Every structure is written in structure tokens, then in C-alpha cells.
Amino acid sequence: MKTRSTAVNQVIELGNGNYCIREAESTNCYLLIGEKKALIFDVGYGYEDIKPLIAELTDLPLIVVNSHGDPDHALGSCWFAEAYIHELDLGKLFRNDTPEMKQKALDYRLNKLPALKPHIDRDMYLKTSVKGVNYRFVREGEVFDLGGKVLETIHLPGHSYGCIALLDAKNKDLFSGDMVTKHNIWYFLPADEQAPFRQAVSSYRKLQRRKAEIARIYPAHGSFPIGVGIIDQLLDSLEDMKQNHASDLYFESFAGSGYQHYYKDTLIIYSKARLEEFMEDSAHED
Ligand SMILES: O=c1ccn([C@@H]2O[C@H](COP(=O)(O)O)[C@@H](O)[C@H]2O)c(=O)[nH]1
């Protein structure tokens, strides 16, 4: 099928009725089309309404599912009547739904991509809100049957308390949100926004146990698909960070600052407080 992109959203066909709608060269939102229904996993910052792009690819009833409540994944819910999110992340999404946060996030993005400036209506965007959306809470094990394509929800607390991934076991595709990627993963927000590293370790171990069911991983940022070996690398990177963090470089963003730990294909950006807590937790385990 011929796909149309806009200046803000690039549409990429993945095969098997799946598409990536990549917003502002950053957030990969996945449109998964079955025989009876379609599902969009993440909806980006919502710099523009992506419904017209989706309508060109499918006229099936659409389910909107957010991988977590961060602004770059879930603020775009404002364009939809109903959206799924894990209950632990709805508060986070609402806290991010302010003109100040949107302004900061937009400036950060336009600083990286100045060519987008004429294509985003800033005033309109600052007026959007996710508060009028009807939310449904998505839970561990919940299944979305799209007809010929079934997605199972896996709860993976870490980068946020309410992070989820969707597994299409028949086709061996994992749509991993922000928990599994070769791109950076932020772990420097306050403790009420992101889970302790020990919970991220449990989440990565949970995915390790499902490795035989996964051949391709489609992350919410960076290149795709990636191989299943990245799950082991992420676990190893957390261990490595405990030992080898002395030369990690400082990082600053609109949402706060941290230190960058590179390990093989992975990049964890963490706060000192979070790392100290992790090291203490590990010391108690021994
Ligand atoms: O609220 C937020 C916003 C962004 N992130 C993470 O930041 C990077 C942004 O991607 P770039 O394309 O490198 O600018 C990505 O890892 C997001 O998940 C975030 O964690 N929270």
C-alpha cells in the first residue's frame, strides 16, 4: 500500500499489516491492523492529529493504547475519544498535560529539528488537553484480539511505573515501548515518576523468560526491528553501571538532568540518587 507522510509524521510500512508512524523523528507509534480491528500503540506528543493518516491505512475500529504516560507517547491521546493506559501512569500523564510542559518539550524538539518549526501550530498545540479523553485501564495479561492478530499486554515497570509492552506471540513481534530500545532510556526523573532500578531488573528478567516467543523488537524510539539479545544487554548494562560509572558524562534535558551510561548498544541515563539506591538494594541482596 502507498503511504503518505507529513512534515511531522513519517509513515513506514513494516509488512503483515503493521505500520510505524514516527513523530518528529523521535517517537515510533505502531499501527497494527488485524482482520476486524486496528490498534495504535502510542500516539506521540500529538503535534498534529494523526487520525487522517490512520484513516488512509484502515477504516477498521481503532483501539488506542499508550505504552506509558510520558508526554512523547501519550499527550497525543488528546485527538482521540478513548485510550488505554496503565492505571499507575494516568496521574503522570495528567501532570504532563500543562502548557508549560508542552512548551518546554516543544522547544527541546525544535531545537533538535528546527525544520519542523513552520509545520507545528504552537498556539493550537498548547491548547490541546488529554483531560477530556475516556481512559480505560490496561492490565498485565490483557489481550487485544484484532482478528488474526492477538496482542498480549506485559507490564514492565522501570522507566515508569505503568510501562507496558505488547507481544504478538504468533508473529514473534514485541512492541516494547520505552523499556527495550537501543536509543537512550531515561531513568533520572523523581522517584514518584519512575520505578527503582530493582523493578527494571525484574521487568527485564520477565522478558528474558519470554525470549523464545520474540524474534523482532519494535521500540518506541530509535531503529527497528532489533534483536532479542538487547534484553540481556539491558540487564548487563544495569550491572555494569554499578561498577563502571565514574566517567559517565552529564546530560541535560527539558525534564531534568542525569548521567549517561553506555554499554554495548544501550544507553541508560540515570540520576545519582537512583544509582545509589540501586547499589544499596544490591548490597542487601548479597
Ligand atoms: O518526557 C519525556 C520525554 C522524552 N523522554 C525520552 O527522551 C528521549 C527523547 O528522544 P530523542 O529523540 O533522543 O530526543 C527518548 O528516550 C524518550 O523516551 C522521556 O523519557 N520522557
Side-chain angles (χ1 to χ4, degrees), residues 250-271:
Y250 186 68
F251 167 90
E252 222 170 65
S253 77
F254 69 93
S257 60
Y259 290 83
Q260 306 177 73
H261 189 73
Y262 285 92
Y263 177 82
K264 296 189 180 171
D265 295 329
T266 67
L267 170 56
I268 301 283
I269 312 185
Y270 63 93
S271 66

Side-chain angles (χ1 to χ4, degrees), residues 23-27 45 68-73 92 96 101 105 108-109 112 159 177-178 181 183-189 193-194 220-222 251 253-255 267 269:
E23 188 192 52
E25 292 183 22
S26 182
T27 310
Y45 279 109
H68 62 296
D70 272 345
D72 52 332
H73 299 260
K92 181 186 182 78
N96 283 320
M101 171 55 88
Y108 176 78
R109 184 57 43 202
K112 282 190 167 189
H159 169 75
D178 267 3
T181 173
H183 202 68
N184 58 51
I185 309 182
W186 290 10
Y187 279 106
F188 57 78
L189 299 183
E193 296 269 328
Q194 297 187 313
H221 293 278
F251 167 90
S253 77
F254 69 93
L267 170 56
I269 312 185

Side-chain angles (χ1 to χ4, degrees), residues 139-189:
R139 295 195 174 83
E140 166 73 16
E142 181 154 0
V143 163
F144 296 97
D145 187 348
L146 309 181
K149 192 178 282 179
V150 174
L151 296 144
E152 175 197 336
T153 306
I154 306 179
H155 182 211
L156 299 172
H159 169 75
S160 82
Y161 288 93
C163 274
I164 60 159
L166 296 181
L167 175 64
D168 174 348
K170 186 175 111 192
N171 293 301
K172 295 194 144 198
D173 291 331
L174 179 76
F175 300 90
S176 60
D178 267 3
M179 279 300 283
V180 183
T181 173
K182 286 187 178 175
H183 202 68
N184 58 51
I185 309 182
W186 290 10
Y187 279 106
F188 57 78
L189 299 183

Side-chain angles (χ1 to χ4, degrees), residues 61-73:
L62 182 73
I63 305 167
V64 177
V65 182
N66 291 311
S67 69
H68 62 296
D70 272 345
D72 52 332
H73 299 260

Side-chain angles (χ1 to χ4, degrees), residues 202 204-213 231:
S202 302
Y204 293 132
R205 287 196 181 132
K206 186 177 188 179
L207 281 182
Q208 270 185 329
R209 293 193 288 276
R210 309 288 306 260
K211 258 169 52 178
E213 296 167 87
I231 299 169

Side-chain angles (χ1 to χ4, degrees), residues 12-280:
I12 305 153
E13 186 167 5
L14 306 175
N16 190 34
N18 295 338
Y19 295 82
C20 173
I21 303 181
R22 173 176 270 178
E23 188 192 52
E25 292 183 22
S26 182
T27 310
N28 300 327
C29 308
Y30 293 102
L31 175 66
L32 314 174
I33 306 176
E35 288 153 12
K36 297 203 169 120
K37 291 178 195 166
L39 182 152
I40 180 109
F41 190 45
D42 281 334
V43 282
Y45 279 109
Y47 293 137
E48 69 180 11
D49 182 0
I50 57 170
K51 288 198 300 295
L53 284 180
I54 294 173
E56 288 175 26
L57 301 171
T58 181
D59 55 8
L60 291 172
L62 182 73
I63 305 167
V64 177
V65 182
N66 291 311
S67 69
H68 62 296
D70 272 345
D72 52 332
H73 299 260
L75 281 180
S77 302
C78 66
W79 299 109
F80 297 88
E82 184 176 280
Y84 282 83
I85 189 166
H86 195 281
E87 63 184 328
L88 295 177
D89 266 25
L90 186 59
K92 181 186 182 78
L93 174 58
F94 282 5
R95 281 195 296 282
N96 283 320
D97 187 29
T98 65
E100 294 73 31
M101 171 55 88
K102 286 182 193 154
Q103 181 104 338
K104 276 201 246 171
L106 187 53
D107 289 343
Y108 176 78
R109 184 57 43 202
L110 292 178
N111 200 26
K112 282 190 167 189
L113 269 182
L116 271 191
K117 220 173 198 165
H119 301 286
I120 295 177
D121 181 342
R122 181 184 286 262
D123 293 339
M124 179 277 298
Y125 181 59
L126 296 183
K127 282 187 201 131
T128 62
S129 172
V130 293
K131 304 241 165 62
V133 178
N134 177 32
Y135 291 98
R136 301 183 69 157
F137 291 141
V138 61
R139 295 195 174 83
E140 166 73 16
E142 181 154 0
V143 163
F144 296 97
D145 187 348
L146 309 181
K149 192 178 282 179
V150 174
L151 296 144
E152 175 197 336
T153 306
I154 306 179
H155 182 211
L156 299 172
H159 169 75
S160 82
Y161 288 93
C163 274
I164 60 159
L166 296 181
L167 175 64
D168 174 348
K170 186 175 111 192
N171 293 301
K172 295 194 144 198
D173 291 331
L174 179 76
F175 300 90
S176 60
D178 267 3
M179 279 300 283
V180 183
T181 173
K182 286 187 178 175
H183 202 68
N184 58 51
I185 309 182
W186 290 10
Y187 279 106
F188 57 78
L189 299 183
D192 58 345
E193 296 269 328
Q194 297 187 313
F197 276 129
R198 64 173 181 278
Q199 286 199 35
V201 168
S202 302
S203 293
Y204 293 132
R205 287 196 181 132
K206 186 177 188 179
L207 281 182
Q208 270 185 329
R209 293 193 288 276
R210 309 288 306 260
K211 258 169 52 178
E213 296 167 87
I214 307 166
R216 287 161 300 275
I217 298 178
Y218 291 90
H221 293 278
S223 57
F224 57 77
I226 48 180
V228 77
I230 193 77
I231 299 169
D232 296 338
Q233 279 195 32
L234 282 162
L235 258 175
D236 294 346
S237 79
L238 293 178
E239 270 313 300
D240 186 75
M241 184 178 68
K242 283 193 273 187
Q243 315 296 331
N244 303 310
H245 52 267
S247 55
D248 287 349
L249 293 177
Y250 186 68
F251 167 90
E252 222 170 65
S253 77
F254 69 93
S257 60
Y259 290 83
Q260 306 177 73
H261 189 73
Y262 285 92
Y263 177 82
K264 296 189 180 171
D265 295 329
T266 67
L267 170 56
I268 301 283
I269 312 185
Y270 63 93
S271 66
K272 288 261 154 102
R274 191 171 287 275
L275 174 59
E276 277 160 23
E277 175 198 48
F278 188 34
M279 289 166 74
E280 255 177 53

